[in-house]
Amino acid sequence: GGGSAAGIMATKSGTTDIGMSSRNLAGDETSLWSVEIARDGLAIVINPRNSIGNLTLEQVRDIYSGAIKNWSSLGGKKSEIHVFTREDGSGTRSSFESLVMGKTEINAGAMVENSNGAIRQLVGGDPYAIGFISLGLVDKTVKAVELDGVTATREHVIDGSYNLSRPFLFLTLKEPTGLAKDFIDFTLSDKGKAILNAQGLVTMGVNP
């Protein structure tokens, strides 16, 4: 727990054998040994009772910047949009900022949660909410909207038509050996990939 920044920091300090990150490494972080174990789609989720089915990337950016504040501006009911985001240091937030926001800041009024699970639960209970979570965590309690007409599915992440995807990395301080290497090798094996696929992640070479 704690987001990608915590996983990277724990790896750099040597307090964990294997760290995890859901974003690419940058700056001095690249001195760590890393391997991509899977890719994950980033789903824009709303409540299933919301009639909206499709948003453009620009509309999502405008919602999160505060330029669009009401669902009626998007063809929905007249109600304020309740915006949920992840905390600073979260790989999910970092990926969202890179892939969706660009140089535009997330509105300071957005409600900050510290896990994808919390955002899913809150959006699932609020017909006027919007959030972003791992595609692998989407279930019947929330609705992943189409983005520019493309559904958020594993297949569309693989073929590149769904643009919001990010890497899942394993990290070690130095090239792994011993049990750490054994575990990483297992994760990258067909059996390990099958487990990742079953959780909704995207790996190459093994059918889910």
Side-chain angles (χ1 to χ4, degrees):
S4 296
I8 292 166
M9 187 178 300
T11 307
K12 290 175 72 174
S13 67
T15 56
T16 187
D17 294 301
I18 301 173
M20 290 183 284
S21 175
S22 59
R23 64 166 174 81
N24 287 312
L25 302 181
D28 64 355
E29 297 168 353
T30 58
S31 64
L32 298 173
W33 184 92
S34 66
V35 64
E36 182 177 307
I37 61 167
R39 293 197 70 80
D40 178 43
L42 196 62
I44 310 301
V45 293
I46 60 177
N47 189 279
R49 289 175 284 173
N50 192 324
S51 62
I52 299 293
N54 176 76
L55 293 171
T56 67
L57 193 66
E58 183 178 2
Q59 286 172 332
V60 176
R61 186 184 304 117
D62 285 347
I63 290 170
Y64 272 85
S65 71
I68 294 177
K69 298 178 181 294
N70 201 291
W71 284 113
S72 61
S73 301
L74 302 165
K77 291 184 178 179
K78 189 174 182 180
S79 174
E80 180 184 357
I81 301 173
H82 303 156
V83 181
F84 290 95
T85 185
R86 287 291 306 276
E87 78 284 5
D88 285 332
S90 156
T92 310
R93 176 170 176 148
S94 175
S95 296
F96 180 83
E97 288 174 331
S98 172
L99 296 167
V100 177
M101 301 304 295
K103 295 181 179 180
T104 304
E105 296 285 333
I106 292 176
N107 190 311
M111 292 167 278
V112 179
E113 299 298 327
N114 64 2
S115 73
N116 282 336
I119 288 182
R120 181 178 65 182
Q121 182 176 5
L122 289 163
V123 172
D126 181 349
Y128 305 116
I130 189 170
F132 53 87
I133 63 174
S134 165
L135 179 59
L137 290 177
V138 174
D139 62 14
K140 64 182 180 180
T141 65
V142 292
K143 178 171 69 173
V145 297
E146 293 182 359
L147 193 65
D148 291 310
V150 180
T151 53
T153 64
R154 182 180 186 277
E155 291 72 27
H156 288 156
V157 170
I158 291 172
D159 67 25
S161 60
Y162 186 78
N163 293 323
L164 304 190
S165 69
R166 60 192 176 140
F168 274 8
L169 307 178
F170 273 171
L171 318 169
T172 57
L173 187 58
K174 298 178 180 178
E175 187 165 347
T177 59
L179 288 174
K181 182 179 186 305
D182 291 345
F183 182 72
I184 293 170
D185 287 346
F186 168 76
T187 305
L188 296 173
S189 71
D190 285 353
K191 191 171 183 180
K193 287 178 179 179
I195 295 171
L196 294 169
N197 286 332
Q199 296 302 313
L201 301 177
V202 176
T203 65
M204 302 304 172
V206 176
N207 292 321

